Amino acid sequence: MHSIDVLVIGAGAAGMMCAIEAAKRGRSVLVLDHAKKPGEKIRISGGGRCNFTNIHASPKNFLSQNPRFCISALSRYTQRDFLALIERHKIGYHEKTLGQLFCDGSAGQIIDMLLGQMQHHGAQLHLTATVESVEKTANGFMVRYSGGTVSCRSLVIATGGKSIPKMGATGFGYDIAARFGLRLVETRPGLVPLTFEPNLLERLKPLAGVAVDAVVACRKTRFAEAMLFTHRGISGPSILQISSYWREGDEITISMLPETDLFAALREERGRNGRQALQTALALHLPKKLAQLIAADISPAQNLADFSDVALRRVAAAVNEWRVKPAGSEGYRTAEVTLGGVDTRDLDSKTMEARDVPGLYFIGEVVDVTGWLGGYNFQWAWSSGWCAGQVV
Ligand code: FDA
């Protein structure tokens, strides 16, 4: 058995950041991960370019049962701090849209930077390590794993959420939290495509692959971004965003062409050319397949002149104010994040330490703090990992 100061379980974004910061302070640090490679979610994120933070990140971009919990960490290690790190390592980046920052090259540059920093400051990494048991001792913890037994003063759980089990996501962090008496907020998939029931799906089948700009609303939240029809339902940024707020049974309102008063546009078109078919008039504003489907649903053979104002309003509402009840979501198989997790009431917001278990820390996605789409989730991983790294 060997003894170290800090054992981090999980070599993802949060775990590696914490390991670097702790090692910088002279702590002996070991990071364990059951995967073959570290930071696999970083590697696949942002289409391989990693949307590593967001210029506008602020607590309002996060969901949690306690929305104030993330304030401290996000203000102590900000997006500007991470950006400064990226710049020091000469990693090129660009803003894509809405403050989202991506690598110019590949996400691998971020992983290499983190691994380089770990090595530089002396943090060790053991991959393909299976953790077998975790016990509390008088001075800390004893962890048995496939590579041996290690005792540590601080134990940091950075094993992420349940999303994408194919990539090795487990409920490990939640199990450890429960074993040590921490409360859990029910977990559910977030940033996930929504699905339709079979009848609606059959009707919308021809639209798979069609994208439109939309404002999508559920309860009191709305997002204005692109939306995509899929073989299972709907996806695209606006839908992924709203999915984190959507609950089974909720209706969502989708405003396609949010910038256009379609009723006014169709009425004008009717005045100009009443013999025009409805689908032709709609196709001036919408993708052709969508225009065809909406026209077919309403009245296939009619020309614009056959539509009264009331009827035109009905057409416009189908586009500007489509109300639909998704049947479900695609689940953890494709969800980018896991909502819920370790209850923040049981953690110190400045250090991420469990209030009643000195020496035990939870950082990153395993905690009940979940960001919007757009680099916010990595920022939470960097910020929470950094905070724990200052005290472990
Ligand atoms: P993360 O999941 O990264 O790391 C956990 C680590 O723990 C993994 O290495 C895993 O192998 C290990 N582990 C798990 N169980 C273990 C066990 N029992 N024993 C040992 N090790 C174990 N966010 C963002 O801000 N911008 C983006 O562009 C994207 N893009 C994106 C794309 C896709 C496809 C997904 C699935 C997710 C994103 N995200 C994202 C979300 C982002 O990837 C996520 O929020 C962070 O990776 C969370 O970082 P953590 O370090 O907390 O967990």
Side-chain angles (χ1 to χ4, degrees), residues 10 12-14 33-34 44-46 51 158-160 170 172 336 364-365 375 377-378:
D33 200 298
H34 66 176
I44 61 156
S45 66
N51 176 194
T159 44
T170 63
F172 179 87
E336 283 199 14
E365 198 179 317
N377 284 294
F378 279 132

Side-chain angles (χ1 to χ4, degrees), residues 9-15 32-35 37-42 44-46 50-52 102 129 131 158-161 163-164 167-170 172 335-337 363-366 374-379 381:
I9 306 183
L32 298 181
D33 200 298
H34 66 176
K37 290 181 184 165
E40 280 297 89
K41 280 201 180 156
I42 301 175
I44 61 156
S45 66
C50 187
N51 176 194
F52 54 81
F102 287 75
V131 175
T159 44
S163 320
I164 325 251
M167 288 184 65
T170 63
F172 179 87
E336 283 199 14
V337 286
I363 56 173
E365 198 179 317
V366 72
Y376 302 100
N377 284 294
F378 279 132
Q379 187 56 46

Side-chain angles (χ1 to χ4, degrees), residues 112-375:
D112 291 346
M113 174 189 78
L114 295 168
L115 288 175
Q117 286 290 290
M118 278 171 60
Q119 198 176 23
H120 179 72
H121 295 291
Q124 306 270 315
L125 173 64
H126 282 195
L127 294 168
T128 61
T130 308
V131 175
E132 287 151 6
S133 68
V134 176
E135 303 298 336
K136 183 93 186 79
T137 61
N139 309 320
F141 299 86
M142 191 174 74
V143 174
R144 223 184 296 275
Y145 74 104
S146 48
T149 302
V150 58
S151 75
C152 58
R153 280 197 309 107
S154 299
L155 176 62
V156 183
I157 307 298
T159 44
K162 294 180 183 172
S163 320
I164 325 251
K166 226 168 63 186
M167 288 184 65
T170 63
F172 179 87
Y174 311 121
D175 297 343
I176 293 285
R179 250 208 49 213
F180 284 97
L182 281 82
R183 287 167 286 187
L184 293 172
V185 174
E186 192 189 351
T187 54
R188 59 197 173 89
L191 301 182
V192 63
L194 297 175
T195 57
F196 289 153
E197 46 91 13
N199 283 342
L200 181 57
L201 203 55
E202 188 56 34
R203 228 161 33 100
L204 300 184
K205 224 173 171 178
L207 297 183
V210 170
V212 283
D213 281 338
V215 174
V216 180
C218 182
R219 297 168 182 237
K220 289 188 177 133
T221 308
R222 58 179 52 227
F223 290 95
E225 283 182 75
M227 179 188 96
L228 175 74
F229 289 90
T230 71
H231 289 288
R232 296 191 180 85
I234 38 177
S235 185
S238 60
I239 297 300
L240 298 182
Q241 298 281 32
I242 211 71
S243 73
S244 295
Y245 293 83
W246 177 84
R247 300 279 185 151
E248 298 259 316
D250 279 350
E251 187 178 75
I252 61 175
T253 306
I254 300 174
S255 172
M256 297 180 274
L257 295 179
E259 308 285 321
T260 309
D261 178 347
L262 191 61
F263 168 66
L266 289 175
R267 200 167 54 166
E268 204 183 310
E269 201 57 35
R270 185 183 60 189
R272 217 185 344 255
N273 181 4
R275 290 168 65 187
Q276 196 175 180
L278 174 63
Q279 85 173 52
T280 315
L282 284 173
L284 296 173
H285 304 278
L286 291 165
K288 199 169 157 198
K289 282 184 184 169
L290 185 56
Q292 274 170 349
L293 195 112
I294 292 170
D297 258 12
I298 289 170
S299 184
Q302 282 181 303
N303 293 334
L304 280 181
D306 303 325
F307 285 85
S308 65
D309 277 4
V310 172
L312 278 190
R313 274 193 201 283
R314 215 175 309 129
V315 176
V319 175
N320 283 154
E321 208 186 324
W322 177 33
R323 290 165 183 277
V324 63
K325 206 183 258 191
S329 83
E330 289 190 8
Y332 291 117
R333 190 178 59 80
T334 59
E336 283 199 14
V337 286
T338 303
L339 293 149
V342 178
D343 194 323
T344 57
R345 285 178 298 178
D346 293 334
L347 300 178
D348 182 311
S349 64
K350 199 168 166 206
T351 62
M352 306 293 138
E353 188 174 18
R355 288 190 188 282
D356 294 333
V357 191
L360 181 62
Y361 298 78
F362 291 85
I363 56 173
E365 198 179 317
V366 72
V367 178
D368 172 34
V369 173
T370 308
W372 289 359
L373 184 79

